[in-house]
Amino acid sequence: ETGVTQTPRHLVMGMTNKKSLKCEQHLGHNAMYWYKQSAKKPLELMFVYSLEERVENNSVPSRFSPECPNSSHLFLHLHTLQPEDSALYLCASSQDPGAKEAFFGQGTRLTVV
Amino acid sequence: GQQLNQSPQSMFIQEGEDVSMNCTSSSIFNTWLWYKQDPGEGPVLLIALYKAGELTSNGRLTAQFGITRKDSFLNISASIPSDVGIYFCAGYTQTGANNLFFGTGTRLTVIP
């Protein structure tokens, strides 16, 4: 069982659909993150959660809605996305929000059509 | 946010050759990290550097934390086909909750 698991691995959705991405970490970490990875751009931090509380929201559009029900699970709810939202969405965790080393999941490849 | 410039953007090398890539920033970082991302996977941490001047190895990989704390390099010796992937540098700062800033990556192709 890997440390950080993301599902689904691939998702194709229409602009009017509602879907959710799931992340689960088995490392006992207290912080979890959502990143967006687009081609030829640095990883973009979207959200940071520490012990189930959101501590950072980097001006992400409201069509992305995170949820952290406990310290092991993180969701990203998607609603009325745009084609430019197509990207690889990566979940990560670390011991604490300020920890230096983050461990990543395999990502969800999202395509918005 | 902080900007990290990573070079080269891509490399094509023959198997067995050595590889060098670097990362520079206008800002000082407390820690430099190097990640590798295989196709269809998430980034995996390769090496972490915690103080200026530090030189650390992990198998065929060697990385250094620049003395100015604004740069780092990664070397791969005797490349093999499984070295293919994208290598990302990341700089860590203790300011705020968004502590980790990533470079744009170096895409490495190893030709057998």
Side-chain angles (χ1 to χ4, degrees):
Chain A
E1 197 170 63
T2 58
V4 182
T5 305
Q6 287 186 245
T7 55
R9 294 291 306 275
H10 302 272
L11 178 63
V12 179
M13 60 185 289
M15 289 189 283
T16 59
N17 291 158
K18 288 184 183 181
K19 297 286 185 183
S20 295
L21 310 184
K22 179 182 175 182
C23 177
E24 184 174 1
Q25 59 99 358
H26 310 278
L27 301 169
H29 288 167
N30 296 318
M32 296 186 76
Y33 311 79
W34 280 116
Y35 283 88
K36 177 183 178 183
Q37 186 177 33
S38 305
K40 299 185 179 179
K41 293 174 72 174
L43 282 165
E44 300 172 52
L45 180 65
M46 300 175 72
F47 301 103
V48 179
Y49 274 84
S50 172
L51 295 171
E52 304 138 50
E53 287 191 24
R54 190 189 307 180
V55 296
E56 184 87 6
N57 174 358
N58 278 358
S59 302
V60 178
S62 59
R63 57 186 184 268
F64 295 92
S65 174
E67 178 191 1
C68 188
N70 56 63
S71 59
S72 299
H73 294 85
L74 185 65
F75 295 89
L76 188 61
H77 303 301
L78 314 172
H79 177 45
T80 59
L81 296 192
Q82 304 299 312
E84 60 265 28
D85 295 323
S86 299
L88 182 69
Y89 287 84
L90 290 161
C91 173
S93 72
S94 64
Q95 187 61 51
D96 298 294
K100 300 173 183 178
E101 298 166 9
F103 295 82
F104 287 85
Q106 295 170 305
T108 295
R109 173 67 62 186
L110 174 67
T111 303
V112 181
V113 297
Chain B
Q2 317 247 21
Q3 192 159 359
L4 274 65
N5 300 308
Q6 202 170 335
S7 65
Q9 289 188 345
S10 62
M11 303 179 73
F12 291 81
I13 62 169
Q14 293 285 339
E15 182 177 357
E17 288 184 352
D18 296 344
V19 173
S20 184
M21 59 190 79
N22 67 61
C23 196
T24 61
S25 171
S26 58
S27 304
I28 290 173
F29 288 104
N30 304 112
T31 298
W32 283 94
L33 305 164
W34 285 93
Y35 286 85
K36 182 194 177 194
Q37 186 173 23
D38 290 329
E41 304 291 331
V44 173
L45 182 64
L46 298 174
I47 290 180
L49 303 156
Y50 299 107
K51 58 182 181 181
E54 180 180 351
L55 185 72
T56 297
S57 293
N58 178 6
R60 293 177 297 106
L61 277 62
T62 302
Q64 185 156 29
F65 192 144
I67 293 175
T68 65
R69 295 167 63 192
K70 294 182 178 181
D71 63 337
S72 177
F73 73 75
L74 175 71
N75 285 344
I76 305 173
S77 62
S79 58
I80 60 178
S82 61
D83 290 334
V84 164
I86 304 177
Y87 292 80
F88 292 96
C89 62
Y92 171 86
T93 172
Q94 292 176 315
T95 305
N98 181 10
N99 302 103
L100 208 53
F101 299 89
F102 287 85
T104 50
T106 294
R107 183 179 294 274
L108 178 64
T109 301
V110 179
I111 303 167

